[in-house]
Amino acid sequence: QVQLVESGGGLVQAGGSLRLSCAASGRTISNYVVGWFRQAPGIEREFVSNIKWSGGTTNYADSVKGRFTISRDNAKNTVYLQMNSLKPEDTAVYYCAAGNRWPIRRTEYDYWGQGTQVTVSS
């Protein structure tokens, strides 16, 4: 029903920047919330950020506040995650997810992308 494809991951030095994209297809996501999560080996998948499509309300994990910015593009059905001042501890596979509840819990997201690797070197 909804397909999500992440892109933009890669290798970057500490202090550098990356912009991740999450492109949605299959249907519009105007009534959805889109979130970013990340998972490193041996660590529980953690919430990073989300955005409510209507109104643009956003949330951020404390660990990324002031460094990451989530945004959306209605015409392209795409959500972005601009990541600045990257740290080695940001290294993880980053996933985008979509759901149609607000507020929404981690277990209530209905659709997930395949993930994109972000590696931050020290």
Side-chain angles (χ1 to χ4, degrees):
Q1 190 172 35
V2 175
Q3 296 83 47
L4 304 173
V5 179
E6 305 97 329
S7 61
L11 175 64
V12 65
Q13 291 183 315
S17 298
L18 286 173
R19 189 179 75 160
L20 305 183
S21 299
C22 176
S25 62
R27 66 186 301 170
T28 61
I29 55 173
S30 59
N31 296 320
Y32 282 75
V33 55
V34 177
W36 286 97
F37 295 80
R38 65 188 184 187
Q39 187 166 26
I43 301 176
E44 184 95 341
R45 184 173 299 185
E46 66 173 336
F47 169 80
V48 176
S49 181
N50 65 13
I51 182 168
K52 186 175 184 294
W53 202 264
S54 178
T57 301
T58 59
N59 294 293
Y60 296 93
D62 288 343
S63 60
V64 306
K65 285 182 179 178
R67 300 189 298 122
F68 292 9
T69 303
I70 190 169
S71 61
R72 61 170 171 81
D73 186 320
N74 286 354
K76 296 181 179 180
N77 243 22
T78 298
V79 171
Y80 304 97
L81 185 68
Q82 178 67 46
M83 306 187 294
N84 298 325
S85 301
L86 283 163
K87 305 174 181 179
E89 52 262 45
D90 295 318
T91 295
V93 177
Y94 283 70
Y95 299 88
C96 67
N100 57 11
R101 300 176 179 87
W102 187 266
I104 189 168
R105 300 174 65 179
R106 179 168 61 89
T107 57
E108 295 176 331
Y109 286 88
D110 297 309
Y111 307 100
W112 292 83
Q114 82 289 346
T116 185
Q117 177 71 47
V118 172
T119 303
V120 184
S121 65
S122 59

